Amino acid sequence: MIQINIIGSGNVAQHLIKAFSASKTVELKQVFSRKTEAVHHLVDFDKIVTNYSELQTADLHIIAVSDNAITEVSDQLPFNNQLVVHTSGTSPIYLLNEKNRRGVFYPLQTFSKNKEIDYSIIPFCLEAENTADFKLLETIAKSISTAVYSISSEQRKALHVAAVFASNFTNHLYHLGQEICEENQLPFEILKPLIQETADKINTLDPVDAQTGPAVRNDSNTTEAHVAFLQDENKKNIYKILTQSIQRNGKKL
């Protein structure tokens, strides 16, 4: 069994704990959390440590903390020449202390603590400084997922930016749509079939080919009416910017 330590107790750490706990290839050896209660519902108490000095050697140490804490955490690890990775989409591999062998184990997914996820379809983006370490990361990733990729730090940064557009910004637009519905006594559920169909289309079409709506049709009467309807300046500005972006970059119907 491949032994793994997970350092962190946030969303990503908790989901990795769940995934590896169910793996037949990996043994979850230790979990570092400053607060035992943050992870005790996922792992036995005897595997939880609260001081860096208690961390034991393992085949892999996964630092799953906020980006601005990666360097500080890697500096405090009480061993040398161990394989240590972070899970950040943006941070380069060199943020990790070079006293250990360095890598990246980035799961490209949005995680919420109380939302169950099918780990087998999550893309894992891997990077390592040598072939042997990459092979180990690949074996570990394939023990929980069927989607494993070799991605450089620069590619991962681009991927993370793309993911913010495709996921975070899109979800914020859902929120704005929900506000408009609620302000006009409409149930947000009315939009959910449309949201689902739009998401499903990209399984068979490129996004530019799936684009519909008044902007791509250059239907100025409708877009101007929408802007006039919106009272909130933030929503007006977002509507205008996205309309202009669709018209500049999309295929005309």
Side-chain angles (χ1 to χ4, degrees):
M1 296 283 281
I2 300 171
Q3 294 185 327
I4 292 180
N5 290 339
I6 294 179
I7 302 163
S9 58
N11 286 342
V12 174
Q14 291 200 21
H15 276 281
L16 288 178
I17 290 170
K18 290 180 183 179
F20 287 128
S21 294
S23 171
K24 296 180 180 179
T25 305
V26 170
E27 175 193 353
L28 186 59
K29 186 175 182 181
Q30 289 182 303
V31 174
F32 173 91
S33 174
R34 294 188 185 281
K35 297 181 179 179
T36 302
E37 60 271 20
V39 293
H40 75 84
H41 61 295
L42 298 173
V43 64
D44 293 339
F45 278 107
D46 60 353
K47 291 188 175 183
I48 303 172
V49 298
T50 57
N51 294 306
Y52 290 110
S53 60
E54 299 176 87
L55 281 170
Q56 301 171 9
T57 58
D59 297 302
L60 175 65
H61 306 267
I62 300 177
I63 297 177
V65 299
S66 62
D67 287 15
N68 58 7
I70 290 171
T71 299
E72 177 188 352
V73 170
S74 69
D75 287 347
Q76 297 188 63
L77 297 180
F79 39 68
N80 298 313
N81 198 33
Q82 294 275 292
L83 179 54
V84 177
V85 300
H86 68 63
T87 59
S88 169
T90 301
S91 300
I93 193 172
Y94 61 74
L95 283 189
L96 295 165
N97 192 303
E98 62 183 356
K99 68 182 180 180
N100 285 296
R101 307 190 321 272
R102 301 180 292 189
V104 178
F105 194 84
Y106 169 51
L108 178 57
Q109 186 55 275
T110 173
F111 293 103
S112 298
K113 288 179 182 176
N114 298 320
K115 176 69 169 61
E116 293 299 321
I117 288 179
D118 181 359
Y119 302 105
S120 68
I121 62 172
I122 294 176
F124 279 84
C125 304
L126 311 180
E127 183 180 6
E129 292 181 306
N130 65 67
T131 301
D133 285 341
F134 181 86
K135 290 295 185 183
L136 178 61
L137 293 180
E138 188 176 44
T139 298
I140 292 168
K142 286 183 176 179
S143 76
I144 57 176
S145 174
T146 59
V148 178
Y149 300 88
S150 173
I151 303 289
S152 71
S153 286
E154 197 61 27
Q155 288 175 316
R156 186 163 28 84
K157 185 184 296 184
L159 187 61
H160 196 251
V161 172
V164 168
F165 273 92
S167 176
N168 302 145
F169 290 169
T170 301
N171 187 72
H172 180 62
L173 295 178
Y174 294 159
H175 172 66
L176 297 184
Q178 182 181 33
E179 284 187 342
I180 293 168
C181 285
E182 292 175 350
E183 288 165 1
N184 291 275
Q185 294 76 53
L186 293 164
F188 181 60
E189 283 69 21
I190 289 179
L191 292 180
K192 289 183 178 179
L194 174 65
I195 291 170
Q196 187 62 56
E197 174 62 17
T198 303
D200 288 345
K201 280 183 181 181
I202 61 169
N203 289 318
T204 55
L205 297 172
D206 285 341
V208 69
D209 295 322
Q211 187 70 55
T212 62
V216 76
R217 293 195 302 267
N218 278 319
D219 182 354
S220 59
N221 288 337
T222 299
T223 57
E224 289 170 7
H226 287 173
V227 171
F229 171 82
L230 293 168
Q231 300 301 306
D232 180 83
E233 286 301 316
N234 181 53
K235 291 186 178 73
K236 278 182 184 287
N237 291 333
I238 291 173
Y239 187 100
K240 290 176 182 178
I241 289 170
L242 291 178
T243 295
Q244 291 170 359
S245 182
I246 291 170
Q247 290 174 341
R248 288 171 182 166
N249 295 287
K251 293 182 179 179
K252 302 298 185 288
L253 296 178

